[in-house]
Amino acid sequence: MRKLTAVLCLGLMGAFAWPLHAQAADVAMLDWQKALLDTDVAQRSMNQFRNRTHAKQQEAESLGQSLQATQQRFQNGGQPSQAEQQDFRAKRQRFEQLRQEILQARQEAEQRFLEDAKPRLDQAVQRVIDRHDVQVLVAPQGVVHAEGDLPDLTGEVTEILNSLN
């Protein structure tokens, strides 16, 4: 009789636990930005951007080093001449101009990439949602608390995105 009671109790516990487990599987996590950035297309896009802006990047780095050296010299008590001050201001202005141009080019490249990638991302996410029967999909930054690890579908979305190209 005790065995039968124990089996029935275990069976009832299992019956109640199963729906809770099924519901937990309905919630998954997706870092869509990481999924996109890990794709082959994103890597190529970033390399193309670096190639397009390489000369400006190098010029900005060179100017930055020169500005630091000049500023250090000024701070160490060297009295700058009028010409050195003008040169410093011109270099600083050029450095800021390059920084702005690179930043703007990066923002435009990212925007173009996101606009091009959005339909494929939507398709990949929908495939993963359908495959895993996900009812709620959350971003990692939006998870305040989870009892256990949520299924992370990021890698799977990246794989699908790579196959769509």
Side-chain angles (χ1 to χ4, degrees):
M1 187 68 171
R2 282 187 177 171
K3 286 183 183 179
L4 181 61
T5 305
V7 169
L8 285 174
C9 285
L10 285 174
L12 285 173
M13 285 175 42
F16 288 119
W18 182 78
L20 292 175
H21 176 70
Q23 287 177 338
D26 291 344
V27 179
M29 178 179 62
L30 170 65
D31 185 342
W32 66 268
Q33 292 168 323
K34 181 178 180 350
L36 272 178
L37 292 177
D38 286 349
T39 62
D40 299 335
V41 172
Q43 298 303 316
R44 283 193 303 272
S45 179
M46 283 188 264
N47 286 335
Q48 289 170 351
F49 172 75
R50 282 188 209 108
N51 290 338
R52 279 193 317 270
T53 60
H54 181 71
K56 287 182 181 183
Q57 293 271 5
Q58 280 190 316
E59 184 182 354
E61 285 177 30
S62 177
L63 281 170
Q65 291 170 356
S66 176
L67 287 168
Q68 283 180 333
T70 304
Q71 189 172 14
Q72 187 68 32
R73 195 179 46 197
F74 290 168
Q75 289 175 350
N76 288 339
Q79 185 65 356
S81 68
Q82 190 71 16
E84 287 176 318
Q85 289 177 10
Q86 283 180 321
D87 184 53
F88 182 80
R89 282 193 294 272
K91 285 181 180 179
R92 188 177 64 211
Q93 185 177 10
R94 176 65 180 153
F95 176 80
E96 286 300 319
Q97 178 187 6
L98 287 169
R99 194 177 67 78
Q100 287 291 357
E101 288 173 6
I102 293 167
L103 180 62
Q104 183 176 350
R106 179 177 174 214
Q107 290 171 340
E108 289 170 0
E110 286 175 355
Q111 185 64 33
R112 277 192 309 273
F113 173 76
L114 289 175
E115 287 172 3
D116 292 344
K118 179 143 178 31
R120 290 189 310 278
L121 176 64
D122 291 344
Q123 184 181 2
V125 169
Q126 190 59 52
R127 280 190 193 178
V128 171
I129 287 171
D130 293 343
R131 182 179 302 146
H132 294 279
D133 196 29
V134 173
Q135 300 300 309
V136 178
L137 190 60
V138 296
Q141 303 83 356
V143 177
V144 176
H145 172 77
E147 285 296 319
D149 290 337
L150 295 176
D152 186 353
L153 306 177
T154 304
E156 192 171 339
V157 170
T158 300
E159 288 176 22
I160 292 172
L161 283 168
N162 281 331
S163 73
L164 293 174
N165 296 319

